[in-house]
Structures are given as C-alpha cells and as structure tokens.
C-alpha cells in the first residue's frame, strides 16, 4: 500500500438538533465530504498513517454529534462542526514515524470516517494479529467494545449469578447479542429473555442462547414479557433502550434487583422518548441502577478478551453470529455512503449483531 | 390507665386516586371514623393493648393508602378500604396477655390511627425508657425511622466520605434535617447543600449545619444550586423529592457519583410530576442510583442508635430541632383531626423536622 496524496473524510457540517439529515445537498445537511492534500512529510514524529479498512458503527456516535451538548457531562468529547466524525475501527499502517508501529501493522484505534488517518502512536488502541477465526471483524464485534460492554455489564454492574433471570433489550444488537451469549453460556443464567425488533430477530437471539425472544413491535409485547418473566420478577435488566420499555421493566425487577444503564437508543432522535415514569419502583423495591461506559474498564480489557476467547474456543460463543458487514469497498466513493450504513443502526432494517462498514 | 370499652379509629373509606379528600362528609371522603365496643376479654393470648400517645406522620403513608397499587411491588402492604390507617407511633401498654410486656411499658410499634390498639407482642418494635433528653418524641424523630433512613442513606447508599459534597432535598423535613446534621457532624462532609421550601427553612437548615440552604420556591433556585455546587459537581445526592428537581440534580452529580433514591414527595398527589427526563446522565456519567427503604436495615438499627446518641451527647445533633409536635390531646375528638395534621406534610406550611401528633 502506498501513501495517498489526498485524505478524504466525512465531516460534521451541522450538529443535528432533531433527526439526522443524510442528504448532503440539503441546507441542513448533517454531514459533508472533504478532500485535503496530503504528503508523507506532513506526518509528524510519533505519528503513523493508517489506511482505514473497517469502521465500527455505534449508537454512541449519535450522542457525540448531537447539538447543544454539555461537554463537561459527556463521557467523550462532542464532535465539533467541521471535524471528521469519530469512529472506532480497524486499519493498516501505511507510513510510520513511530518507533512502536511499523508499516504493515494492523491496528485497532479510535479513527474518523476517512480513508486515511494520521494518528499519534498513543492513540492506537492495540496492534492485532488476524488468525483463523479471529479476523478484523471479530476484533470489532466479539472482541470489540460492544462485547466488552456486555461482559462488564453482566459481571460488574449486574453481578449476574448462576441460575438468575435476566432481561436484555436491543438483544439482537451488537451489545445485546453478546449479553445473550455471555449471560447464558458464561454466566450460566437460569433464564435469558431478549427483546428485539422482529420475529426473525427474536428467533435469532433464541439461536444464540436466549430462552425467550420477544418482538417488541408486537402490540402485546408487555404481556408476553410479563409472562416470560413470571411472578417472581427478574433479577437483572440490561437496558440498551430507555424510555417506555425501561419504565415498564423497572416494574418487573425483583426486590434488591439490579439494572445496568447502558444505552438509550429510544431517544437518539427525540429525547422526550426517554422520560422515565416509574422511578418510585427504584425506591419501593430497593433497586440498584448503575450507569457505565466501556472506557471505565480499559485496564481490564484483557480479562474480557480471555473470557470471550474461551467461549469462542469452546464453541459457545459463535463469532460468525456476532457481526454483519456492509461492504462499500467496491463503491466508487465508499466514504460517501458511510453515514447511510451507520443509519441502519436506528432503522427497522437493522442487521443482527455488530454492524461493520468495510471501506477498503 | 384503664381498659377502654370502645376503640375509636380512622379508617380508609375511599382509597384516593388523585388528591386526598379530608372532608369526612364528602361523598368521596378518603377517611371515616369508626367506634367499636371492646372488652378486655377480647384480648387474645400473646397480645397487648396499647394506649396510643404519639403518631409519627410519614409521606410513605400516602403510598400505603393510594388506589390501584400493585401489592406485590410495594415495600409494605397497601391499607385496604375499611381498615384503619397504619402509622408508626409510641404508646403505653394498658392491658397485657403477653409474657414479654407488662402494663405500664412504653413501646414503639407500627400502630394505626386509633386511640387504643390491640397488638401481637411480635408486632411491638421495642420497649423504651424515657429519660432526660430522650423522650417519646425523640424516639419518633432523632431516634426514629426517618433518622435511621438518613443514617443508612448516608453510610450505605451514598457511602459519603469526609470532605465530599452532598445535596439533600426536602432538607427541612424529618429525614432531610437528620441528613444535614449527620452529613456535616458525623460523616464530616465538606459541603452540605440543602433544598427547602422557604427562606426561613433554608436559614433553619443552615443552623443545623448546612453550608448552604436554598429555597426551592425561588424562581432562580436552579441557578443558586448550580452556583452552590460549583463546577466540580456533587459527589452525592440524597433525593426525597423526585421529578423535576431530581432530573436537574442528575445533571449535577459528578462522574461515578451516587444518588440515594429515598422519597418522591413531588408526586404524592400526581404521579406525572415524577417523570425523570435526564436518565441518560446516569449512563454518560456512570452514576449509581440506589433505592432503599428503612425496613432493609432493621438488624442494624442499634448501630444507627449508637451513632445518633453519640451525636446527641456531644451536642452536635440537637434533638430539640428534630421534631414538631401538634398536640391534639386537649381536643374533644383528637382522632378526628389526625388526618388534618398529617396533611401538613404535603402543604406549604409544613413544620420543620419530624411532624408528630400527640393524641393523649
């Protein structure tokens, strides 16, 4: 691979106040494409140039680009208008002025939506070796942030014990599908109940190990959930959704039960959908609700990797089920379509597991 | 004292769906008075007859009488229509068929709004001795459930450390005023900020040890609170109110900070006022929210009593400041006015500290 003469990127043009405007030609376009000249001499000491190969698509990115954020209260800085959209991903080093990394190294890093990325060596998360069964997409799914989120959410936040009941929302998503697999096969939960957006997804999470998958688009999904949980209520709820679903689940967690506050995809376009109406359940049933972000656990990633690799080698965690790749590498302008692929996260046609964009 | 020939009580007539109807003659009256004959032979083995002297007035009673409760999800059984209103209190035994308690014993117990109370010996919380400075009202305030709630909320739920900042709402109330005193004088908080319903109450909580008292009826109370908390945010929030105030405070708790979910007085008449709009702060700032009720800590009441008595003997906890007595003992029908006194809890003329009703 050679060093490019231009770097192309997708920038934040207008931080969205409501829905994201994907149309580049619209007056209120959320994104714009940029192209800037580059030469190897631009690379400073200690930096590497990464050719970006895969992007991780994450709901959290929606928060990073939202208008009117209080920078002091987020767990990651907002993306400013004019800056490239941040995205974790996988790439290959094509130029290096770092003593730590060499041309040809494959790395995981916090990248941006761009074709090439100058990056300080300290910003590289880790160098990885692809091997049979543990390829680049696996590093972004079963061994990626969302998988670690599932692991620490179960172990530290929910403190899930063998035989317990757990409910997880957005169970066919990147985090949720790992919650299902880890809860059942590693933490030995007694009953795993997953909420997903279609009958097909519900069957799919059952194939991963959920005892019951429920389609939250069914009109009677709360009755189905109530029945699946049973009169003893659930020990734990892993919440990726927020709002009305969370408000209902708070009434179904047993006394001294635990709630992992992990995501809030119900409100990425409309925060009013995140209102919680059943807070007093936390009081009367002595619940513990704990919020967390995966960056709290960076020092313990090796622990998560070891556990997950163990599940993969035993065959209980099926890596082929943990991701879906949208391949843009054959497109004339792959970068231009990156936002559209990302938008699948928020739509009704969301693929199962981790959504990964291949751009080269 | 002699054994009565009738027992008078205040019963729940219509469980309120909205506001409580205090007018006994209204069609939708919440309460009704009853009078039933009694003779000592009605007292069964193992039971005592208590002459009720003082009632504790608690916001939790509002939840116990509310219509449409899910009995499986409350921490105490609902009061059924036709039953006497439950109330913790203090009384004197006037007849005994128990081998554990004798006539003349003073006891703390879960009573009802009645003049006399047949009670199984196992339902007596404890026999107490009144002494100088530790009188009946003190057992219902500085040494009562609300004080224990303050203690365990600070120690176990908020895990408050020396030098930390804490905000407490309803700070002039029975629980809040003990939170202020214990946080400052026992847990050695660096900054104690209390929210109360008037300027007078704000000054009063400052006299108890709060660094700043803020009147939440001021139009700019959030600005005042923001300024008092400062840019580093607060380590802990002791929530007795819920709703809008809670939603604001969630934006002011620092990363990894803790929230004690203790009460929800904002919504006792209108649950829609308890909506929480800032749940995502729990996620992005990795907050821990823990709900609790004092009955979780029954085994550890001696620990709380020892700590509080220590504060009283040092003079840092001022028992004379922890309660307010409404004396109905001179009334012709003391019981009839018990609900009206209790209603002071929810109004703008709420007395400071624990509200206690003396009926005999």
């Amino acid at each position: 691979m050679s060093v490019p003469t231009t770097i192309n990127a997708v920038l934040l043009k207008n931080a969205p106040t409501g829905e994201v405007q994907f149309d580049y030609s619209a007056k209120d376009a959320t994104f714009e494409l940029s192209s800037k000249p580059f030469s190897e001499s631009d690379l400073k000491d200690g930096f590497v140039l990464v050719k970006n190969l895969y992007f991780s698509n994450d709901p959290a990115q929606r928060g990073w680009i939202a208008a009117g954020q209080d920078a002091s209260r987020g767990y990651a800085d907002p993306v400013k208008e004019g800056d490239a959209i941040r995205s974790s991903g996988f790439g290959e080093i094509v130029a290096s002025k770092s003593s730590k990394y060499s041309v040809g190294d494959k790395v995981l890093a916090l990248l941006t939506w761009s074709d090439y990325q100058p990056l300080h060596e300290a910003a590289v998360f880790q160098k990885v070796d692809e091997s049979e069964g543990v390829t680049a997409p696996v590093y972004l799914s079963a061994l990626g942030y969302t998988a670690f989120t599932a692991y620490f959410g179960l172990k530290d936040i929910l403190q899930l014990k063998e035989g317990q009941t757990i409910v997880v929302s957005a169970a066919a998503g990147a985090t949720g599908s790992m919650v299902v697999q880890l809860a059942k096969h590693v933490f030995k939960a007694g009953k795993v109940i997953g909420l997903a957006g279609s009958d097909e997804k519900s069957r799919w999470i059952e194939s991963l190990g959920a005892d019951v998958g429920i389609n939250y688009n069914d009109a009677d999904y709360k009755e189905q959930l109530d029945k699946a949980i049973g009169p003893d209520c659930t020990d734990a709820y892993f919440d990726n959704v927020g709002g009305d679903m969370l408000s209902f689940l708070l009434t179904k967690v047993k006394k001294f039960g635990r709630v992992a506050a992990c995501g809030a995809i119900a409100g990425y376009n409309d925060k009013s959908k995140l209102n919680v109406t059943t807070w007093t359940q936390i009081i009367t049933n002595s619940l513990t609700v704990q919020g967390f972000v995966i960056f709290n656990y960076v020092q313990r990633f090796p622990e998560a990797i070891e556990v997950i690799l163990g599940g993969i080698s035993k065959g209980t965690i099926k890596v082929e089920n943990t991701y879906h790749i949208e391949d843009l590498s054959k497109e004339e302008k792959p970068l231009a379509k990156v936002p559209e692929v990302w938008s699948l996260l928020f739509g009704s046609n969301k693929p199962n597991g981790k959504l990964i964009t291949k751009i080269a």
Side-chain angles (χ1 to χ4, degrees), chain A residues 13-33:
Chain A
K13 187 173 183 186
N14 296 296
T17 52
E19 300 217 354
V20 173
Q21 172 57 269
F22 288 93
D23 182 350
Y24 289 106
S25 64
K27 199 180 163 191
D28 61 343
T30 300
F31 305 106
E32 68 180 330
L33 297 167

Side-chain angles (χ1 to χ4, degrees), chain A residues 59-61 64 70-77 268 292-296:
Chain A
Q61 292 169 286
W64 300 343
D70 178 353
S72 72
R73 298 289 298 173
Y75 64 93
D77 289 336
Y268 278 106
F292 71 113
V293 297
I294 193 55
F295 303 113
N296 302 345

Side-chain angles (χ1 to χ4, degrees), chain A residues 49-67:
Chain A
L49 186 71
V50 180
K51 179 177 169 68
N52 296 343
L53 301 174
Y54 295 93
F55 294 131
S56 168
N57 291 283
D58 296 287
Q61 292 169 286
R62 182 64 183 83
W64 300 343
I65 66 170

Side-chain angles (χ1 to χ4, degrees), chain A residues 209-246:
Chain A
D211 296 276
V212 187
I214 294 171
N215 178 357
Y216 64 75
N217 286 311
D218 285 350
D220 68 341
Y221 94 84
K222 288 179 183 171
E223 286 78 3
Q224 293 181 47
L225 187 51
D226 199 16
K227 194 177 160 195
I229 293 172
D232 290 341
C233 296
T234 183
D235 297 282
Y237 173 48
F238 198 117
D239 182 43
N240 294 307
V241 170
D244 181 64
M245 193 181 286
L246 166 63

Side-chain angles (χ1 to χ4, degrees), chain A residues 5 16 46 53 58 73 79 101 103 138 156 158 169 171-172 189 261 298 308 318 322 346 354 356:
Chain A
T5 56
L53 301 174
D58 296 287
R73 298 289 298 173
V79 174
Y101 300 103
V103 171
V138 174
D156 284 56
L158 294 177
S169 55
V298 170
I308 295 167
K318 302 185 183 87
T322 60
F346 306 99
K354 183 82 193 188
I356 294 170

